[in-house]
Amino acid sequence: MTQLEYDNIFDAIADDPMEAADLTLRSDLVNTLVAIFKERGWKNSHIGAALNVPQSRVSELVRGKIAVLSVQKLFGYLAVLGYRFRPALDGSHHVVCRVEERQREAA
């Protein structure tokens, strides 16, 4: 019997590597957003007001319901909160991705 090994659950459940990558990215973005909410000490009502979304969407977001959340929408939520997703190539030719807080302009 051959034992299969996967880096994440989405590689195991998706037949298509592009689908697995999309699911992984959505999961990573949701986890990042939830970490931001926790760091800010926000309750669901604060999240809804900041993102201008109904409570049902906040619930889906904080519960990690990635099936109903698009990458585009998740990037939009990061932007509304003042963050930018920044992929780059490092010196070892590896792609690294960061979520960076945008610099606020001085008044």
Side-chain angles (χ1 to χ4, degrees), residues 8 16 37 81 101:
N8 69 63
D16 177 18
F37 303 149
L81 297 176
E101 194 165 10

Side-chain angles (χ1 to χ4, degrees), residues 31-59:
N31 288 335
T32 300
L33 284 161
V34 169
I36 291 168
F37 303 149
K38 285 182 180 180
E39 183 179 281
R40 293 182 178 186
W42 284 0
K43 305 275 187 227
N44 286 7
S45 59
H46 295 109
I47 297 167
L51 299 178
N52 194 28
V53 296
Q55 205 57 42
S56 59
R57 178 57 53 155
V58 173
S59 179

Side-chain angles (χ1 to χ4, degrees), residues 1-106:
M1 174 185 261
T2 303
Q3 181 176 347
L4 301 175
E5 293 184 29
Y6 299 95
D7 289 333
N8 69 63
I9 187 66
F10 301 116
D11 288 334
I13 64 172
D15 293 331
D16 177 18
M18 288 179 65
E19 179 185 3
D22 178 65
L23 292 168
T24 301
L25 179 58
R26 284 191 273 163
S27 176
D28 290 343
L29 290 170
V30 166
N31 288 335
T32 300
L33 284 161
V34 169
I36 291 168
F37 303 149
K38 285 182 180 180
E39 183 179 281
R40 293 182 178 186
W42 284 0
K43 305 275 187 227
N44 286 7
S45 59
H46 295 109
I47 297 167
L51 299 178
N52 194 28
V53 296
Q55 205 57 42
S56 59
R57 178 57 53 155
V58 173
S59 179
E60 291 167 344
L61 181 58
V62 298
R63 290 176 182 216
K65 304 270 184 173
I66 63 170
V68 298
L69 300 163
S70 69
V71 170
Q72 180 179 1
K73 189 60 86 173
L74 294 168
F75 280 141
Y77 294 156
L78 283 171
V80 167
L81 297 176
Y83 290 88
R84 177 181 175 198
F85 181 77
R86 190 176 188 98
L89 194 63
D90 71 8
S92 300
H93 303 287
H94 295 106
V95 174
V96 293
C97 298
R98 287 181 256 209
V99 175
E100 299 175 344
E101 194 165 10
R102 288 183 297 193
Q103 298 297 319
R104 304 192 190 270
E105 294 183 22

